[in-house]
Structures are given as C-alpha cells and as structure tokens.
Amino acid sequence: MSFQLPSNITAQRKPISVTSYEYVLHHNELGQLGKILLSACISGGCNVTSLVHGQPGDELTEQRRKLFEPLAKTLAAQIQLTTSFPASATNADRSPSA
C-alpha cells in the first residue's frame, strides 16, 4: 500500500542515529507541521512518536494540528509496515548475557 501526501505538504526523512529516524512534514503556507520520530525496539519493531510543531493554545499550532494528526496516524502505520532497521540496530540496546 502506498501513501501520497497532499501536493502542498512535503516530508523529509532524517537519520537521528543508527536506531532512529525522524520525518519532518512541511506545509506550503503553515511551515513546519510536525515530526514523526521512529526508534528501533529490541523486539524488531519500532516506536513511533508524533509531535505537532508550535505552542499550546496558539491558533497557528491548532491549524497545523488539524492537518498533521490525520497524516501522522496514516504515515505512522505505513512507516511501521515498511521501515526496517538493521538487525545490529535492534540488538544495540541488549545487555550482554552473563
């Protein structure tokens, strides 16, 4: 399944570390909408965190939230299905067994 962003929204993927990435979503008029952060889990899956850009109570932030939240939910589901981390990345947090 493929997901396409609206024409006025772009996304940029940035590596944060070997075990994590961020996707930054931008709107042509509202600027940065928010970020989706992905971190590898020991189980082989990933943890997804979505952050709306702006300050609580700000009208511009609320406009961004209305656009970002549905996109973030859809993209997070898509990303979890299609993103894989190297096996060494998912094992990086394991303590050596005694």
Side-chain angles (χ1 to χ4, degrees):
M1 178 176 160
S2 176
F3 181 79
Q4 194 164 6
L5 291 170
S7 61
N8 58 349
I9 297 175
T10 59
Q12 181 180 17
R13 178 181 168 179
K14 297 179 182 180
I16 297 173
S17 70
V18 175
T19 61
S20 59
Y21 297 95
E22 74 176 3
Y23 289 80
V24 182
L25 277 65
H26 290 270
H27 185 271
N28 287 352
E29 294 176 15
L30 299 176
Q32 183 175 320
L33 294 176
K35 296 180 180 182
I36 301 172
L37 308 171
L38 290 97
S39 300
C41 296
I42 292 173
S43 65
C46 65
N47 183 42
V48 179
T49 304
S50 299
L51 305 168
V52 175
H53 182 74
Q55 299 297 317
D58 179 53
E59 181 59 34
L60 188 56
T61 301
E62 291 307 312
Q63 291 175 25
R64 289 177 179 137
R65 181 184 316 283
K66 288 178 186 176
L67 288 173
F68 179 72
E69 284 183 346
L71 288 173
K73 288 178 183 179
T74 302
L75 286 172
Q78 181 72 23
I79 289 166
Q80 283 185 308
L81 293 174
T82 60
T83 300
S84 60
F85 291 90
S88 60
T90 57
N91 293 326
D93 294 329
R94 291 188 179 173
S95 301
S97 41

mmCIF file of all heavy atoms in Angstrom, residues 2-39:
data_model
loop_
_atom_site.group_PDB
_atom_site.id
_atom_site.type_symbol
_atom_site.label_atom_id
_atom_site.label_comp_id
_atom_site.label_asym_id
_atom_site.label_seq_id
_atom_site.Cartn_x
_atom_site.Cartn_y
_atom_site.Cartn_z
ATOM 1 N N SER A 2 0.589 2.158 -0.874
ATOM 2 C CA SER A 2 1.372 3.364 -0.999
ATOM 3 C C SER A 2 0.566 4.554 -0.484
ATOM 4 O O SER A 2 -0.640 4.617 -0.662
ATOM 5 C CB SER A 2 1.745 3.571 -2.461
ATOM 6 O OG SER A 2 2.434 4.779 -2.617
ATOM 7 N N PHE A 3 1.265 5.500 0.130
ATOM 8 C CA PHE A 3 0.593 6.681 0.660
ATOM 9 C C PHE A 3 1.194 7.900 -0.005
ATOM 10 O O PHE A 3 2.406 8.036 -0.092
ATOM 11 C CB PHE A 3 0.775 6.767 2.170
ATOM 12 C CG PHE A 3 0.074 7.949 2.775
ATOM 13 C CD1 PHE A 3 -1.288 7.905 3.004
ATOM 14 C CD2 PHE A 3 0.762 9.104 3.092
ATOM 15 C CE1 PHE A 3 -1.952 8.989 3.556
ATOM 16 C CE2 PHE A 3 0.116 10.192 3.648
ATOM 17 C CZ PHE A 3 -1.250 10.136 3.876
ATOM 18 N N GLN A 4 0.343 8.802 -0.483
ATOM 19 C CA GLN A 4 0.810 10.015 -1.130
ATOM 20 C C GLN A 4 0.359 11.227 -0.322
ATOM 21 O O GLN A 4 -0.809 11.334 0.049
ATOM 22 C CB GLN A 4 0.265 10.093 -2.553
ATOM 23 C CG GLN A 4 0.953 11.119 -3.388
ATOM 24 C CD GLN A 4 0.667 10.911 -4.858
ATOM 25 O OE1 GLN A 4 -0.138 10.071 -5.239
ATOM 26 N NE2 GLN A 4 1.339 11.657 -5.691
ATOM 27 N N LEU A 5 1.286 12.132 -0.064
ATOM 28 C CA LEU A 5 0.969 13.356 0.660
ATOM 29 C C LEU A 5 0.221 14.323 -0.242
ATOM 30 O O LEU A 5 0.406 14.309 -1.459
ATOM 31 C CB LEU A 5 2.259 14.028 1.138
ATOM 32 C CG LEU A 5 3.044 13.321 2.229
ATOM 33 C CD1 LEU A 5 4.405 13.981 2.405
ATOM 34 C CD2 LEU A 5 2.284 13.341 3.537
ATOM 35 N N PRO A 6 -0.596 15.194 0.346
ATOM 36 C CA PRO A 6 -1.212 16.246 -0.457
ATOM 37 C C PRO A 6 -0.116 17.091 -1.127
ATOM 38 O O PRO A 6 1.000 17.203 -0.604
ATOM 39 C CB PRO A 6 -1.978 17.086 0.578
ATOM 40 C CG PRO A 6 -2.213 16.148 1.720
ATOM 41 C CD PRO A 6 -1.025 15.225 1.742
ATOM 42 N N SER A 7 -0.432 17.701 -2.255
ATOM 43 C CA SER A 7 0.580 18.426 -3.037
ATOM 44 C C SER A 7 1.205 19.604 -2.285
ATOM 45 O O SER A 7 2.322 20.010 -2.603
ATOM 46 C CB SER A 7 -0.014 18.903 -4.356
ATOM 47 O OG SER A 7 -1.094 19.791 -4.112
ATOM 48 N N ASN A 8 0.524 20.139 -1.282
ATOM 49 C CA ASN A 8 1.067 21.282 -0.548
ATOM 50 C C ASN A 8 1.833 20.879 0.718
ATOM 51 O O ASN A 8 2.198 21.724 1.527
ATOM 52 C CB ASN A 8 -0.043 22.279 -0.201
ATOM 53 C CG ASN A 8 -1.159 21.671 0.627
ATOM 54 O OD1 ASN A 8 -1.235 20.457 0.799
ATOM 55 N ND2 ASN A 8 -2.037 22.512 1.132
ATOM 56 N N ILE A 9 2.079 19.582 0.891
ATOM 57 C CA ILE A 9 2.810 19.078 2.061
ATOM 58 C C ILE A 9 3.969 18.211 1.587
ATOM 59 O O ILE A 9 3.809 17.366 0.710
ATOM 60 C CB ILE A 9 1.888 18.271 2.994
ATOM 61 C CG1 ILE A 9 0.791 19.184 3.554
ATOM 62 C CG2 ILE A 9 2.691 17.635 4.133
ATOM 63 C CD1 ILE A 9 -0.242 18.479 4.397
ATOM 64 N N THR A 10 5.137 18.460 2.171
ATOM 65 C CA THR A 10 6.311 17.651 1.856
ATOM 66 C C THR A 10 6.825 17.000 3.130
ATOM 67 O O THR A 10 6.535 17.450 4.242
ATOM 68 C CB THR A 10 7.438 18.506 1.238
ATOM 69 O OG1 THR A 10 7.804 19.532 2.168
ATOM 70 C CG2 THR A 10 7.007 19.131 -0.083
ATOM 71 N N ALA A 11 7.598 15.935 2.964
ATOM 72 C CA ALA A 11 8.199 15.248 4.105
ATOM 73 C C ALA A 11 9.669 15.012 3.807
ATOM 74 O O ALA A 11 10.049 14.703 2.677
ATOM 75 C CB ALA A 11 7.506 13.920 4.364
ATOM 76 N N GLN A 12 10.478 15.174 4.835
ATOM 77 C CA GLN A 12 11.907 14.923 4.716
ATOM 78 C C GLN A 12 12.308 13.921 5.793
ATOM 79 O O GLN A 12 11.986 14.108 6.972
ATOM 80 C CB GLN A 12 12.698 16.217 4.884
ATOM 81 C CG GLN A 12 14.181 16.043 4.747
ATOM 82 C CD GLN A 12 14.936 17.360 4.934
ATOM 83 O OE1 GLN A 12 14.411 18.323 5.465
ATOM 84 N NE2 GLN A 12 16.174 17.377 4.507
ATOM 85 N N ARG A 13 13.000 12.865 5.385
ATOM 86 C CA ARG A 13 13.474 11.854 6.334
ATOM 87 C C ARG A 13 14.909 12.182 6.717
ATOM 88 O O ARG A 13 15.754 12.408 5.856
ATOM 89 C CB ARG A 13 13.414 10.474 5.679
ATOM 90 C CG ARG A 13 13.932 9.378 6.576
ATOM 91 C CD ARG A 13 13.861 8.048 5.868
ATOM 92 N NE ARG A 13 14.598 7.056 6.614
ATOM 93 C CZ ARG A 13 14.713 5.804 6.269
ATOM 94 N NH1 ARG A 13 14.145 5.365 5.164
ATOM 95 N NH2 ARG A 13 15.395 4.968 7.004
ATOM 96 N N LYS A 14 15.159 12.200 8.032
ATOM 97 C CA LYS A 14 16.493 12.500 8.542
ATOM 98 C C LYS A 14 16.908 11.411 9.524
ATOM 99 O O LYS A 14 16.158 11.107 10.450
ATOM 100 C CB LYS A 14 16.500 13.834 9.287
ATOM 101 C CG LYS A 14 16.165 15.037 8.462
ATOM 102 C CD LYS A 14 16.182 16.277 9.346
ATOM 103 C CE LYS A 14 15.822 17.518 8.605
ATOM 104 N NZ LYS A 14 15.856 18.692 9.486
ATOM 105 N N PRO A 15 18.099 10.839 9.350
ATOM 106 C CA PRO A 15 18.573 9.897 10.371
ATOM 107 C C PRO A 15 18.978 10.649 11.630
ATOM 108 O O PRO A 15 19.563 11.730 11.555
ATOM 109 C CB PRO A 15 19.783 9.238 9.705
ATOM 110 C CG PRO A 15 20.221 10.186 8.646
ATOM 111 C CD PRO A 15 19.016 10.977 8.239
ATOM 112 N N ILE A 16 18.598 10.107 12.771
ATOM 113 C CA ILE A 16 18.998 10.694 14.055
ATOM 114 C C ILE A 16 20.179 9.896 14.608
ATOM 115 O O ILE A 16 21.126 10.450 15.129
ATOM 116 C CB ILE A 16 17.825 10.684 15.058
ATOM 117 C CG1 ILE A 16 16.697 11.568 14.523
ATOM 118 C CG2 ILE A 16 18.276 11.167 16.426
ATOM 119 C CD1 ILE A 16 15.433 11.494 15.333
ATOM 120 N N SER A 17 20.083 8.577 14.468
ATOM 121 C CA SER A 17 21.153 7.672 14.896
ATOM 122 C C SER A 17 20.977 6.378 14.107
ATOM 123 O O SER A 17 20.110 6.281 13.241
ATOM 124 C CB SER A 17 21.056 7.399 16.401
ATOM 125 O OG SER A 17 19.921 6.601 16.682
ATOM 126 N N VAL A 18 21.769 5.380 14.439
ATOM 127 C CA VAL A 18 21.647 4.083 13.778
ATOM 128 C C VAL A 18 20.290 3.454 14.064
ATOM 129 O O VAL A 18 19.744 2.718 13.252
ATOM 130 C CB VAL A 18 22.778 3.130 14.238
ATOM 131 C CG1 VAL A 18 22.605 1.743 13.669
ATOM 132 C CG2 VAL A 18 24.128 3.691 13.856
ATOM 133 N N THR A 19 19.705 3.799 15.205
ATOM 134 C CA THR A 19 18.458 3.166 15.620
ATOM 135 C C THR A 19 17.236 4.076 15.539
ATOM 136 O O THR A 19 16.179 3.723 16.034
ATOM 137 C CB THR A 19 18.577 2.636 17.066
ATOM 138 O OG1 THR A 19 18.835 3.740 17.929
ATOM 139 C CG2 THR A 19 19.667 1.594 17.176
ATOM 140 N N SER A 20 17.386 5.267 14.949
ATOM 141 C CA SER A 20 16.216 6.150 14.893
ATOM 142 C C SER A 20 16.264 7.112 13.703
ATOM 143 O O SER A 20 17.332 7.462 13.208
ATOM 144 C CB SER A 20 16.079 6.931 16.198
ATOM 145 O OG SER A 20 17.225 7.711 16.437
ATOM 146 N N TYR A 21 15.064 7.507 13.268
ATOM 147 C CA TYR A 21 14.866 8.441 12.160
ATOM 148 C C TYR A 21 13.792 9.437 12.560
ATOM 149 O O TYR A 21 12.980 9.161 13.423
ATOM 150 C CB TYR A 21 14.338 7.718 10.907
ATOM 151 C CG TYR A 21 15.254 6.691 10.342
ATOM 152 C CD1 TYR A 21 15.121 5.355 10.688
ATOM 153 C CD2 TYR A 21 16.236 7.044 9.424
ATOM 154 C CE1 TYR A 21 15.956 4.396 10.144
ATOM 155 C CE2 TYR A 21 17.067 6.089 8.880
ATOM 156 C CZ TYR A 21 16.928 4.765 9.237
ATOM 157 O OH TYR A 21 17.748 3.817 8.697
ATOM 158 N N GLU A 22 13.776 10.581 11.873
ATOM 159 C CA GLU A 22 12.657 11.497 12.018
ATOM 160 C C GLU A 22 12.176 11.893 10.627
ATOM 161 O O GLU A 22 12.960 12.001 9.692
ATOM 162 C CB GLU A 22 13.011 12.733 12.846
ATOM 163 C CG GLU A 22 13.885 13.750 12.164
ATOM 164 C CD GLU A 22 14.117 14.999 13.006
ATOM 165 O OE1 GLU A 22 13.649 15.083 14.148
ATOM 166 O OE2 GLU A 22 14.800 15.894 12.499
ATOM 167 N N TYR A 23 10.882 12.059 10.523
ATOM 168 C CA TYR A 23 10.252 12.576 9.314
ATOM 169 C C TYR A 23 9.679 13.935 9.681
ATOM 170 O O TYR A 23 8.886 14.043 10.613
ATOM 171 C CB TYR A 23 9.133 11.653 8.837
ATOM 172 C CG TYR A 23 9.622 10.355 8.260
ATOM 173 C CD1 TYR A 23 9.994 9.302 9.090
ATOM 174 C CD2 TYR A 23 9.727 10.186 6.890
ATOM 175 C CE1 TYR A 23 10.453 8.104 8.570
ATOM 176 C CE2 TYR A 23 10.181 8.988 6.365
ATOM 177 C CZ TYR A 23 10.544 7.957 7.199
ATOM 178 O OH TYR A 23 11.008 6.766 6.680
ATOM 179 N N VAL A 24 10.099 14.982 8.973
ATOM 180 C CA VAL A 24 9.630 16.331 9.231
ATOM 181 C C VAL A 24 8.668 16.707 8.115
ATOM 182 O O VAL A 24 9.024 16.662 6.935
ATOM 183 C CB VAL A 24 10.802 17.331 9.296
ATOM 184 C CG1 VAL A 24 10.301 18.731 9.615
ATOM 185 C CG2 VAL A 24 11.831 16.880 10.329
ATOM 186 N N LEU A 25 7.431 17.069 8.477
ATOM 187 C CA LEU A 25 6.411 17.444 7.499
ATOM 188 C C LEU A 25 6.284 18.964 7.443
ATOM 189 O O LEU A 25 6.210 19.626 8.478
ATOM 190 C CB LEU A 25 5.069 16.829 7.864
ATOM 191 C CG LEU A 25 4.855 15.376 7.422
ATOM 192 C CD1 LEU A 25 5.791 14.428 8.118
ATOM 193 C CD2 LEU A 25 3.426 14.980 7.635
ATOM 194 N N HIS A 26 6.273 19.492 6.206
ATOM 195 C CA HIS A 26 6.156 20.932 5.973
ATOM 196 C C HIS A 26 4.948 21.213 5.091
ATOM 197 O O HIS A 26 4.668 20.465 4.156
ATOM 198 C CB HIS A 26 7.407 21.467 5.257
ATOM 199 C CG HIS A 26 8.630 21.476 6.092
ATOM 200 N ND1 HIS A 26 9.000 22.548 6.869
ATOM 201 C CD2 HIS A 26 9.578 20.532 6.294
ATOM 202 C CE1 HIS A 26 10.123 22.263 7.496
ATOM 203 N NE2 HIS A 26 10.492 21.044 7.162
ATOM 204 N N HIS A 27 4.264 22.307 5.391
ATOM 205 C CA HIS A 27 3.128 22.784 4.595
ATOM 206 C C HIS A 27 3.560 24.058 3.885
ATOM 207 O O HIS A 27 4.306 24.869 4.457
ATOM 208 C CB HIS A 27 1.939 23.070 5.518
ATOM 209 C CG HIS A 27 0.693 23.455 4.803
ATOM 210 N ND1 HIS A 27 0.403 24.762 4.486
ATOM 211 C CD2 HIS A 27 -0.335 22.703 4.348
ATOM 212 C CE1 HIS A 27 -0.766 24.808 3.864
ATOM 213 N NE2 HIS A 27 -1.232 23.571 3.764
ATOM 214 N N ASN A 28 3.104 24.255 2.647
ATOM 215 C CA ASN A 28 3.500 25.435 1.865
ATOM 216 C C ASN A 28 3.190 26.746 2.568
ATOM 217 O O ASN A 28 3.950 27.703 2.451
ATOM 218 C CB ASN A 28 2.816 25.425 0.493
ATOM 219 C CG ASN A 28 3.388 24.387 -0.433
ATOM 220 O OD1 ASN A 28 4.389 23.751 -0.135
ATOM 221 N ND2 ASN A 28 2.735 24.200 -1.563
ATOM 222 N N GLU A 29 2.082 26.841 3.278
ATOM 223 C CA GLU A 29 1.687 28.095 3.915
ATOM 224 C C GLU A 29 1.921 28.112 5.424
ATOM 225 O O GLU A 29 2.266 29.147 5.989
ATOM 226 C CB GLU A 29 0.212 28.383 3.632
ATOM 227 C CG GLU A 29 -0.075 28.644 2.171
ATOM 228 C CD GLU A 29 -1.551 28.844 1.886
ATOM 229 O OE1 GLU A 29 -2.323 29.069 2.844
ATOM 230 O OE2 GLU A 29 -1.923 28.770 0.708
ATOM 231 N N LEU A 30 1.730 26.979 6.099
ATOM 232 C CA LEU A 30 1.828 26.932 7.563
ATOM 233 C C LEU A 30 3.236 26.622 8.063
ATOM 234 O O LEU A 30 3.480 26.641 9.265
ATOM 235 C CB LEU A 30 0.851 25.909 8.126
ATOM 236 C CG LEU A 30 -0.626 26.167 7.836
ATOM 237 C CD1 LEU A 30 -1.471 25.022 8.368
ATOM 238 C CD2 LEU A 30 -1.075 27.491 8.437
ATOM 239 N N GLY A 31 4.144 26.303 7.161
ATOM 240 C CA GLY A 31 5.506 25.956 7.565
ATOM 241 C C GLY A 31 5.569 24.538 8.114
ATOM 242 O O GLY A 31 4.819 23.660 7.699
ATOM 243 N N GLN A 32 6.461 24.341 9.071
ATOM 244 C CA GLN A 32 6.618 23.005 9.646
ATOM 245 C C GLN A 32 5.344 22.604 10.378
ATOM 246 O O GLN A 32 4.872 23.332 11.241
ATOM 247 C CB GLN A 32 7.805 22.955 10.596
ATOM 248 C CG GLN A 32 8.037 21.561 11.160
ATOM 249 C CD GLN A 32 9.287 21.485 12.011
ATOM 250 O OE1 GLN A 32 10.305 22.079 11.689
ATOM 251 N NE2 GLN A 32 9.202 20.757 13.107
ATOM 252 N N LEU A 33 4.793 21.430 10.007
ATOM 253 C CA LEU A 33 3.597 20.913 10.670
ATOM 254 C C LEU A 33 3.962 20.122 11.914
ATOM 255 O O LEU A 33 3.306 20.232 12.946
ATOM 256 C CB LEU A 33 2.804 20.014 9.728
ATOM 257 C CG LEU A 33 2.170 20.668 8.514
ATOM 258 C CD1 LEU A 33 1.495 19.622 7.641
ATOM 259 C CD2 LEU A 33 1.182 21.738 8.932
ATOM 260 N N GLY A 34 4.996 19.292 11.803
ATOM 261 C CA GLY A 34 5.380 18.446 12.922
ATOM 262 C C GLY A 34 6.404 17.423 12.511
ATOM 263 O O GLY A 34 6.900 17.422 11.384
ATOM 264 N N LYS A 35 6.711 16.528 13.458
ATOM 265 C CA LYS A 35 7.713 15.484 13.247
ATOM 266 C C LYS A 35 7.136 14.130 13.649
ATOM 267 O O LYS A 35 6.352 14.034 14.586
ATOM 268 C CB LYS A 35 8.949 15.729 14.112
ATOM 269 C CG LYS A 35 9.694 16.976 13.772
ATOM 270 C CD LYS A 35 10.888 17.131 14.690
ATOM 271 C CE LYS A 35 11.650 18.395 14.368
ATOM 272 N NZ LYS A 35 12.836 18.528 15.219
ATOM 273 N N ILE A 36 7.567 13.114 12.939
ATOM 274 C CA ILE A 36 7.287 11.735 13.318
ATOM 275 C C ILE A 36 8.642 11.108 13.619
ATOM 276 O O ILE A 36 9.521 11.075 12.758
ATOM 277 C CB ILE A 36 6.573 10.968 12.193
ATOM 278 C CG1 ILE A 36 5.250 11.658 11.845
ATOM 279 C CG2 ILE A 36 6.349 9.510 12.606
ATOM 280 C CD1 ILE A 36 4.565 11.084 10.624
ATOM 281 N N LEU A 37 8.829 10.649 14.855
ATOM 282 C CA LEU A 37 10.091 10.056 15.283
ATOM 283 C C LEU A 37 9.938 8.550 15.370
ATOM 284 O O LEU A 37 8.978 8.059 15.950
ATOM 285 C CB LEU A 37 10.497 10.622 16.644
ATOM 286 C CG LEU A 37 10.516 12.148 16.759
ATOM 287 C CD1 LEU A 37 10.707 12.567 18.208
ATOM 288 C CD2 LEU A 37 11.598 12.732 15.894
ATOM 289 N N LEU A 38 10.892 7.828 14.799
ATOM 290 C CA LEU A 38 10.896 6.371 14.847
ATOM 291 C C LEU A 38 12.148 5.882 15.537
ATOM 292 O O LEU A 38 13.244 6.341 15.218
ATOM 293 C CB LEU A 38 10.892 5.785 13.431
ATOM 294 C CG LEU A 38 9.619 5.966 12.660
ATOM 295 C CD1 LEU A 38 9.740 7.168 11.771
ATOM 296 C CD2 LEU A 38 9.374 4.739 11.848
ATOM 297 N N SER A 39 11.986 4.963 16.472
ATOM 298 C CA SER A 39 13.114 4.378 17.184
ATOM 299 C C SER A 39 12.973 2.864 17.151
ATOM 300 O O SER A 39 11.902 2.330 17.428
ATOM 301 C CB SER A 39 13.140 4.835 18.644
ATOM 302 O OG SER A 39 13.257 6.226 18.712
#
